[in-house]
Amino acid sequence: MAGHSHGRRGDPPPAPEPLPVAVADAHTHLYIAAPDDPAGALAAARAVGVDRVVEVGCDVPSSRAAVALAEAYPGVLAAVAVHPNDAPDLPDLPAALAEIDALAARPRVRAVGETGLDRFRTGDAGRAAQEESFRAHIAIAKRHGKPLMIHDRDAHDDIFRVLESEGAPDTVVFHCFSGDATMARHCADRGWYASFAGNVTFKNAAELRAAAAVLPAELLLVETDAPYLTPMPYRGRPNAPYLVPLTVRALAEVRGVAVDELCGALSANAGRVFGTW
């Protein structure tokens, strides 16, 4: 989740050309992007070759909603967490974490996240609570044998420090990967996945594209983070899972591979991380 601002200007972009091989949106927020019509959003995504999504909660209510959506729709799996920017503001963080722990046991929950650290929106006063929450989510992921889905904003070194001190779960996904090629190699050396969102298409994202170019194909995922980070040429307009093909085609160009080849890898990776939908 890119931030807390839900407003997006303009009409939804037109549907892109369908992908030749279906892929998964590895991180979306339909409770914000399509609160009144999740079925319509899922149908629009399927029509362009995005046949599966991971619905991600950012607090206890949205995590409950993610589980309910995943239990209602076969093309949806859930991830549950307290977002790092929310952790310092909760009146009872341990109670919220206990609720996330209980939700993580549900069979349609396939990841714990998004959790991590955010040095952009949370200042010094909130850092201890953020780190406490992150460490607790790592423990929850390991306890339930679920992948850990990481939110990392301006916090690369601290994220690595905490993962190394706690011991990372078997599967780690850096949602909306925000590092450079050096960080991508660091993650690849540890077998950690990088999920790329629409910001990889932005003009000023040369370092992000360099990271996408060097990451091993078997560690690559794609996501929308909808309604945020709408790919070019529609930056600033509302995002939704049906726009994944724009990011996939940009990634294929960056990596110098055919779109169908990349789709096959992305689909296989999503299945390896999240299991069957």
Side-chain angles (χ1 to χ4, degrees):
M1 185 175 178
H4 287 292
S5 173
H6 296 175
R8 285 294 176 270
R9 300 181 303 278
D11 296 324
E17 180 185 347
L19 293 170
V21 177
V23 303
D25 180 349
H27 188 115
T28 194
H29 304 282
L30 290 176
Y31 71 96
I32 305 171
D36 301 322
D37 189 18
L42 293 168
R46 283 195 303 272
V48 295
V50 183
D51 63 347
R52 294 154 287 160
V53 308
V54 180
E55 172 72 357
V56 181
C58 288
D59 54 20
V60 170
S62 60
S63 292
R64 288 178 183 148
V67 175
L69 199 69
E71 291 175 348
Y73 294 96
V76 180
L77 295 175
V80 298
V82 173
H83 192 281
N85 286 326
D86 291 348
D89 300 326
L90 290 176
D92 191 345
L93 178 59
L97 292 169
E99 178 79 10
I100 296 301
D101 193 6
L103 288 170
R106 303 282 278 269
R108 299 290 290 171
V109 174
R110 301 294 177 79
V112 174
E114 60 189 276
T115 182
L117 301 172
D118 189 312
R119 301 315 195 205
F120 180 76
R121 292 191 180 277
T122 296
D124 291 348
R127 290 190 176 188
Q130 268 199 2
E131 188 163 317
E132 175 192 350
S133 179
F134 185 27
R135 290 179 186 274
H137 282 84
I138 292 170
I140 291 168
K142 291 198 287 191
R143 183 156 51 247
H144 295 283
K146 305 282 172 86
L148 184 73
M149 184 181 284
I150 290 179
H151 171 105
D152 165 24
R153 190 160 189 189
D154 297 347
H156 306 328
D157 291 344
D158 284 332
I159 292 277
F160 294 147
R161 172 180 58 80
V162 173
L163 284 173
E164 286 162 9
S165 68
E166 291 292 324
D170 289 342
T171 304
V172 173
V173 177
F174 278 76
H175 130 72
C176 190
F177 186 83
S178 59
D180 57 12
T182 299
M183 180 175 163
R185 292 188 183 98
H186 181 103
C187 291
D189 288 345
R190 289 152 181 77
W192 297 343
Y193 291 80
S195 183
F196 287 86
N199 55 334
V200 76
T201 70
F202 294 175
K203 183 178 180 180
N204 63 351
E207 287 195 345
L208 202 51
R209 286 187 284 276
V214 302
L215 197 80
E218 65 271 17
L219 295 176
L220 192 67
L221 295 167
V222 68
E223 64 174 80
T224 54
D225 197 24
Y228 313 104
L229 301 176
T230 310
M232 293 296 288
Y234 305 111
R235 184 177 183 179
R237 290 169 67 177
N239 200 6
Y242 77 95
L243 294 174
V244 161
L246 296 173
T247 304
V248 171
R249 289 191 164 90
L251 286 170
E253 183 175 350
V254 163
R255 294 177 63 84
V257 298
V259 173
D260 59 348
E261 177 186 338
L262 179 60
C263 288
L266 292 167
S267 185
N269 296 345
R272 199 160 52 247
V273 172
F274 302 112
T276 58
W277 265 253

